[in-house]
Amino acid sequence: METVLSGIRPTGNLHLGNYFGAVKSFVKMQDEYNCYFFIADWHSLTTHPKPENIRQSTRTILAEYLACGIDPEKAAIYVQSDLKQVLELYLYFNMNAYLGELERVTSFKEKVRKQPDNVNAGLLTYPTLMAADILIHRADKVPVGKDQEQNMEMARLFARRFNRIYEVEYFKEPESFHFNHKAVKVPGLDGSGKMGKSEGNAIYLVDDEKTIQKKVMRAVTDSGPTVPNQEKPDPIQNLFTLMELVSTPDTYNYFNDKYNACEIRYGDMKKQLAQDINAFCAPIRERILAIQGDDDYLLKVAKLGAEKAEASAEKTLREVRQIIGFRV
Ligand code: TRP
């Protein structure tokens, strides 16, 4: 069975974009692959040396993953900082990673611009830590967005380089895995890009009914179509895309027909959309709240995940030490 690994930095609550873009697919993948889902809390230190609520943010993602249906019995769901073995592999990769190539990574250059007073070595070696995350389990496939492509290329480079230097065929090059359904791109509510890209355009899985209503009613629209069957401008198309995800086909078709006949009332459509988003989120939200309040359960899940991850990591490290020539 192929191994899939995904990492997420604990930077806030999951929104509908995360759900339809990735988490929903993770739930399916747990039955088809050997899955590792981890929360990249160490990576947060590259930008936040004194993370304020790192424990809380980590628990939040954990609870939200579980509420969405990620099953700790099927997948290994763990916290990066619980898997110390990653650090040793990180060290080995760092020994064969060169300043020039690390400095050329786009996200590093961006961070240098954004935080010129904190250009730390962790930031520079972000790609080697990420490669260690992936290769510690010798993952075959890594679901990532486009913004992670360069980090994935670095992971493949470090895998190849390790093999070349130590004259082995040990690490496979991990593949980027792009979900190939159109639901990946969940639009935001501000009429521009993807959900989550900017403040206020996302609906979070924990948002309550009122919040959802308020956000949807505020979504950008226009003055309405004037020509039958005209193409929908982005902000309008976005509302329809969301509706396609959470509403019934009948509801979608009803408003689509209204649009095509130039009879649409955006207020009505938004009311319906808010209602359907709420109906979709409500059971997930209830599970999130219940799980978040259950410390014992969260602890148990994290421990089980760490144990599973450790078993696989230990095996890799044993072999890596042997390859490099350390005593085992
Ligand atoms: N860099 C990823 C992000 O910003 C998070 C991450 C860390 C990751 N380690 C990983 C993703 C390993 C996939 C595999 O979202």
Side-chain angles (χ1 to χ4, degrees), residues 5-7 9 38 40 43 126 130 133-134 142 144 148 151:
L5 172 136
S6 154
R9 272 175 302 122
F38 77 96
H43 272 111
Y126 190 111
M130 182 159 157
D133 289 331
I134 298 167
V142 182
V144 281
Q148 295 299 311
N151 286 333

Side-chain angles (χ1 to χ4, degrees), residues 110-121:
E110 237 166 65
K111 286 281 157 38
V112 171
R113 230 179 305 121
K114 270 198 204 149
Q115 51 181 66
D117 298 331
N118 183 21
V119 184
N120 60 75

Side-chain angles (χ1 to χ4, degrees), residues 250-264:
D250 280 353
T251 303
Y252 176 88
N253 290 334
Y254 172 84
F255 287 102
N256 197 39
D257 291 347
K258 288 274 183 207
Y259 184 89
N260 285 334
C262 303
E263 288 168 2
I264 189 141

Side-chain angles (χ1 to χ4, degrees), residues 251-284:
T251 303
Y252 176 88
N253 290 334
Y254 172 84
F255 287 102
N256 197 39
D257 291 347
K258 288 274 183 207
Y259 184 89
N260 285 334
C262 303
E263 288 168 2
I264 189 141
R265 289 163 51 165
Y266 291 132
D268 292 349
M269 179 181 180
K270 285 175 167 181
K271 223 184 262 169
Q272 181 71 47
L273 180 60
Q275 205 176 316
D276 292 346
I277 289 178
N278 183 59
F280 176 83
C281 289
I284 301 180

